[in-house]
């Protein structure tokens, strides 16, 4: 589906307060989001550049030397990577939950801003190997941000009715 159709699908799932697993595939990889009652509760990605370790590096929690030491963990699940980061002392307990939150939200933003994806829905819940967030975020603001990032400003303005548009309630 294209970006517009994906946005409609996600809106329907959120408004229906469904508990679903939404898998979105691109040629680069697979991203999976778990939604519960309109909130984003977990996510995973097999897309290059979207590992938990790379998120920790971008956030400044580990340095390039530590990231290089952890290269062998690239195929590991985010849960395994988090355990290694904690075990090696690279990550304090207090840093874990915010890192997971940012990781899950970034995977969702990247997934929802794709120009086109193949998707599959299921009612499969996430297991203990999947990182879930402590404070689920509403999906519609994440979707709005993803669309804002993905669309050029001119296209957004046109979709909103142009520069002379007046909001009506």
């Amino acid at each position: 589906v294209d970006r517009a159709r994906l946005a409609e699908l996600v809106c329907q799932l959120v408004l229906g307060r469904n508990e679903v697993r939404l898998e979105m595939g691109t040629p680069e990889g697979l991203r999976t989001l778990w939604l519960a009652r309109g909130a984003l509760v977990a996510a995973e990605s097999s897309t290059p550049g979207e590992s938990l370790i790379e998120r920790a590096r971008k956030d400044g929690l580990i340095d390039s030397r530590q990231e290089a030491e952890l290269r062998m963990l690239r195929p590991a699940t985010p849960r395994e990577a988090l355990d290694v980061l904690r075990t090696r002392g690279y990550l304090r307990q207090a840093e874990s939950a915010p890192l997971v939150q940012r990781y899950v939200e970034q995977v969702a933003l990247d997934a929802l801003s794709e120009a086109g994806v193949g998707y599959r829905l299921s009612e499969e819940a996430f297991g203990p190997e999947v990182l879930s967030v402590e404070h689920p975020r509403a999906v519609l603001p994440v979707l709005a941000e993803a669309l804002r990032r993905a669309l050029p400003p001119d296209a957004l303005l046109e979709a909103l009715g142009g520069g002379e548009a007046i909001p009506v309630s």
Side-chain angles (χ1 to χ4, degrees), residues 81-101:
L82 183 64
D83 291 342
V84 170
L85 286 168
R86 285 185 193 151
T87 302
R88 291 192 180 185
Y90 295 162
L91 193 64
R92 295 187 304 255
Q93 183 65 32
E95 296 169 325
S96 298
L99 173 62
V100 170
Q101 187 82 34

Side-chain angles (χ1 to χ4, degrees), residues 28-57:
E28 292 80 35
L30 178 70
R31 296 180 183 106
T32 305
L33 307 180
W34 282 269
L35 310 177
R37 294 183 292 284
L40 176 64
V41 294
E44 282 186 334
S45 176
S46 68
T47 303
E50 292 183 8
S51 73
L52 185 75
I53 291 173
E54 287 161 318
R55 178 81 261 158
R57 173 71 173 121

Side-chain angles (χ1 to χ4, degrees), residues 13-76:
L13 294 172
V14 169
L15 295 174
R17 301 187 55 81
N18 294 301
E19 295 196 21
V20 297
R21 171 184 173 147
L22 173 59
E23 296 177 2
M24 292 167 281
T26 64
E28 292 80 35
L30 178 70
R31 296 180 183 106
T32 305
L33 307 180
W34 282 269
L35 310 177
R37 294 183 292 284
L40 176 64
V41 294
E44 282 186 334
S45 176
S46 68
T47 303
E50 292 183 8
S51 73
L52 185 75
I53 291 173
E54 287 161 318
R55 178 81 261 158
R57 173 71 173 121
K58 288 175 186 171
D59 292 349
L61 297 172
I62 60 174
D63 60 29
S64 57
R65 181 187 53 80
Q66 293 165 329
E67 183 183 24
E69 288 176 18
L70 300 170
R71 284 195 203 281
M72 66 182 175
L73 289 175
R74 288 193 196 265

Side-chain angles (χ1 to χ4, degrees), residues 140-155:
L140 293 181
V142 175
L143 176 61
E145 177 63 15
L147 293 174
R148 186 193 67 75
R149 288 181 181 189
L151 298 173
D154 295 339

